[in-house]
Structures are given as structure tokens and as C-alpha cells.
Amino acid sequence: MAAAGENLRINGDRLWDSLMEMAQIGPGVAGGNNRQTLTDADAEGRALFQSWCEDAGCTMGLDTLGNMFATRAGTDPDALPVYVGSHLDTQPTGGKYDGVLGVLGGLELVRSLNDLGIKTKHPIVVTNWTNEEGTRFAPAMLASGVFAGVHDQAWAEAREDAKGLKFGEELDRIGWRGDEPVGARKMHAMFELHIEQGPILEAEGTDIGVVTHGQGLSWTQVTITGKDAHTGSTPMPMRRNAGLGMARVLEAVEEIAVAHGPHAVGAAGHIDVYPNSRNVIPGKVVFTVDFRSPDLATIQDMDAQMKARAQKICDEMGLEIAFESVGGFDPVTFDAGCVSAVRSAAERLGYSHRDIISGAGHDACWINQVAPTAMIMCPCVGGLSHNEAEEISKGWAAAGADVLLHAVIETAGIVE
Ligand SMILES: [Zn+2]
């Protein structure tokens, strides 16, 4: 097997043209896209992707959740495929690149291998995962989650949108339910190219993010109870102000997150104050503390410190406090071999790169549970995504797809 030469590149113009053509389907109102999962626009986008894959000589497989698998054959019939891909569905006011770059970058990789007459030992499969966004049917990464055994398929198909339409019925309606059992495919490896959705790469002028981890999170709902009382007639020493208790706890949350830096973060995004009246000292507050880190022990330590400090604050103020865990997601550590394939691909191609942690969830985060997986990120303007104004440059897209090409052929093996 030969190492891929550093002159090996994808066709950046053709990738960009395909991104622009896909963006014609399900146009948004402000230059982006509204191609939500299992809509007519989704069906149209799927058909275009399938026709491109077939033109590139691939065979399309479809599972019973509508996940699409376009296979370019390898030379070894016993070798498991190397998967690439992401998602073609968008937010209601989504961009042209979130997800789409990973799918069409995979297609461009296949087209480039065809142009160059390169054969690989392992087959290559370009995947479009159904309902990554979770905007129409919660949760996000639904079909890749079933594939990885995280969710039950019947439960997934019973998810309802805002109109009460069920996922399974909408999949049938648009005609994209296949007959392959979900999760039956075995993978040699999987690579997902995605825009960063954060500001780091652009701000630093770095071409490629080598994604080593996905951030985990813990949500703790905190209820502090004091006593409602008149804001004018209650002497200061006699108050039991739950709002003030929360303010002191939130200062502690900030200090704890900063002390666990640089990768840990913490805040309370959801706060309810009772009775929420101008002239009543709050007798009760309910808020959710959100701690995130790529390291599970760090998340657990931040939770423990927050609870101890909050308990002490409330004891001193004569307030009651209660904690309830209301959500969590363990951090993801991507496969060392796949991550190093991405890093050495960027190196070989002469692209500037840095290790980066994904702050958002991706299909790769679930697939990592069943196959060696890694992600490649390219910059996006202002770190903006889930917005019609989401923007990347043709050069950034091409660099990301070049790295995808090299990581995949290193993993799939070139046949002389
Ligand atoms: Zn995405």
C-alpha cells in the first residue's frame, strides 16, 4: 500500500458547485435553507444525492429509518467499509453547510478517487443520517442514535412533530424507508467532516480542526426556598431571600467553571423566580446549572463542588435547597487512530491545524460507540451556524475535504 502523495487533492470547484446546487432545494427566506427532516424538500435533496452517487458508480443502500449508504466498492470483499458522511437535513432557518458539507465532501472524495483511478482495499460508504438536527422531531441525532443502539427504533418512530405527525409515518409518506435493519452494518472506521459552529478556527486563521473530543454535559435543577415577603415592610435581617441565594450560587458556578478551565464551562440558562412580582421578595427560585467539559471526572467534580458550596450558602442564609439531575451526556473521546489519521493528513497537505473539542453534538458522537470514529472541522464565518447567514469559503471547504480524502485513503488502503 502506498502513502497518499501530498499532491492528491479533491476538486474544490466541483464540491462548491454541488453545495450550491443542493442549497437550491428547500431554500430559506434569507439565503439559507429550510430542508427539515422528512419533508418534501428532504425527499428532493435525498433524490439529488442518490442520483449523484449513482453517477459516481456507487450502490445505494437504505435502512428502515431512511439512513442512506452509498457504497464505492473496494478490492477486498472481506474488508469492512470506511464510512464518511453527515446529514442533509437543516434547521428551519438553517445554513447551506451544516451537515451538507460532510455528505457532499464524502461524495467529492469518491468522485476524485474515480478521476484519479485510485482503488482502495476497503470499500468507502458515503452516508446521509436521517434527522440529525432534531428540530422537527426531538432529539437530535435520532437515527444515528438508533444505529448505535442508544435509542429504541419504535420509540424513535413514535416521535411527533409540532403538528402531531409521527416520524415513522412521515418517513413512509416521503417514500424513503428502506429495508435494511438499522445498525446491521459493521464499520472499519467513520469520519465526519463538519463546519466548526464556533469561532476558534476563523479567529486563529487555522485551516483544520482535528476533533479529539466531544463535550459532555450535566444539567442540575436547583430549587431554593425562602419566604415571600413585602419588599418594603420586611426589615433586612428578617428576610429569607431565595433570589439572593441564587445570585450567590451563580457566582460560585462561575468561579467553579473558571477554576476547571480552560475547557470547562458553566452557567444557568434557565431561571424561574416566584412569585416574580416587583414588590415581593422571592420566596422560591428554580434554575438549571449547566456544566460542560470533555472530561467526565471534571463534570462530576464541578457538580460536587457546586452542591457543597450552594448548600453552605443556603444554610448560612436560612434557605432550603434541593438538587435534581435533569439531563446529561457523557463526553466523547474519539478514536486515537482515526484522530491521528486526520492530524497527519492535515500535516501532509500543509494545512495549518489544531486539536479542537466539539461543543455541539454530531452523528459521529453516537457512531463512536460502535466504530472507530473521528471528525474534521473547518472554520465558519463568525462561528455562526443554525442561521441562514452561516458562511464558509470555498477554500475552507476544499481544505476540509482534502483532509477527509487523505484520512480515508490512509484508513481504507490504496491498492497499487
Ligand atoms: Zn450538523
Side-chain angles (χ1 to χ4, degrees):
M1 259 172 259
E6 65 186 39
N7 54 342
L8 215 58
R9 309 268 163 160
I10 58 91
N11 182 331
D13 288 330
R14 180 171 54 193
L15 170 59
W16 193 256
D17 289 348
S18 295
L19 286 165
M20 293 306 111
E21 197 174 334
M22 184 59 75
Q24 303 287 311
I25 298 174
V29 293
N33 276 105
N34 179 5
R35 198 170 51 246
Q36 291 180 66
T37 195
L38 308 188
T39 58
D40 293 348
D42 183 19
E44 206 183 322
R46 286 163 174 269
L48 177 61
F49 172 59
Q50 174 160 352
S51 73
W52 282 340
C53 291
E54 289 172 350
D55 289 348
C58 294
T59 318
M60 186 60 75
L62 188 65
D63 73 16
T64 56
L65 282 180
N67 293 316
M68 299 172 72
F69 303 100
T71 301
R72 180 183 196 261
T75 57
D76 179 351
D78 298 325
L80 290 175
V82 175
Y83 283 72
V84 295
S86 191
H87 59 96
L88 291 174
D89 70 318
T90 75
Q91 292 282 324
T93 53
K96 299 191 279 288
Y97 313 100
D98 174 354
V100 190
L101 176 65
V103 179
L104 299 186
L107 171 66
E108 174 51 41
L109 172 171
V110 166
R111 288 169 165 173
S112 294
L113 292 179
N114 290 347
D115 290 349
L116 298 162
I118 293 175
K119 293 195 174 97
T120 56
K121 175 176 175 243
H122 293 257
I124 295 169
V125 178
V126 187
T127 305
N128 169 35
W129 297 106
T130 302
N131 187 31
E132 192 280 342
E133 291 291 0
T135 180
R136 186 174 173 208
F137 301 99
M141 298 122 69
L142 184 65
S144 56
V146 176
F147 187 97
V150 178
H151 305 306
D152 175 69
Q153 181 163 354
W155 176 83
E157 293 198 28
R159 302 290 88 211
E160 290 184 1
D161 71 4
K163 292 181 186 150
L165 299 170
K166 287 190 167 58
F167 179 100
E169 291 164 6
E170 284 294 276
L171 179 61
D172 288 326
R173 185 189 66 78
I174 67 162
W176 280 90
R177 189 194 290 272
D179 48 21
E180 275 188 28
V182 178
R185 288 167 171 265
K186 299 290 170 257
M187 301 176 168
H188 181 59
M190 145 98 180
F191 293 93
E192 181 171 1
L193 167 65
H194 205 281
I195 62 167
E196 182 194 347
Q197 301 180 277
I200 297 169
L201 296 175
E202 189 200 22
E204 287 184 354
T206 301
D207 302 318
I208 296 294
V210 179
V211 185
T212 58
H213 294 81
Q215 215 168 33
L217 71 86
S218 166
W219 286 336
T220 304
Q221 183 169 290
V222 184
T223 303
I224 298 180
T225 311
K227 191 170 177 43
D228 302 354
H230 198 287
T231 52
S233 55
T234 315
M236 294 303 282
M238 297 179 71
R239 297 178 180 214
R240 290 170 59 217
N241 183 342
L244 180 62
M246 177 185 70
R248 291 178 179 168
V249 172
L250 294 188
E251 284 284 4
V253 166
E254 173 84 8
E255 286 169 18
I256 290 165
V258 170
H260 285 79
H263 296 309
V265 290
H270 172 248
I271 295 171
D272 286 318
V273 178
Y274 300 92
N276 208 19
S277 172
R278 277 189 193 87
N279 53 3
V280 182
I281 296 161
K284 185 170 105 168
V285 291
V286 179
F287 57 101
T288 305
V289 175
D290 172 320
F291 280 125
R292 302 185 190 218
S293 161
D295 176 60
L296 184 60
T298 300
I299 295 175
Q300 289 166 341
D301 191 49
M302 290 194 292
D303 272 339
Q305 286 192 21
M306 182 274 291
K307 286 176 185 170
R309 286 179 63 174
Q311 186 70 57
K312 186 161 179 284
I313 288 165
C314 289
D315 287 350
E316 287 168 3
M317 295 176 71
L319 301 166
E320 303 288 318
I321 188 163
F323 307 100
E324 185 190 353
S325 177
V326 290
F329 187 91
D330 285 352
V332 175
T333 302
F334 287 112
D335 177 74
C338 291
V339 169
S340 113
V342 171
R343 194 181 291 116
S344 56
E347 200 70 50
R348 192 183 309 130
L349 288 155
Y351 290 128
S352 58
H353 60 89
R354 55 123 65 213
D355 287 1
I356 198 165
I357 289 154
S358 174
H362 296 288
D363 293 309
C365 296
W366 286 145
I367 300 307
N368 189 56
Q369 297 196 6
V370 291
T373 301
M375 293 189 72
I376 302 156
M377 280 184 178
C378 74
C380 58
V381 174
L384 191 68
S385 79
H386 289 192
N387 188 310
E388 294 203 43
E390 177 184 284
E391 201 49 76
I392 66 174
S393 77
K394 192 196 282 193
W396 293 344
D402 279 339
V403 171
L404 183 68
L405 169 73
H406 279 245
V408 165
I409 57 182
E410 183 185 324
T411 309
I414 290 187
V415 177
E416 297 279 18

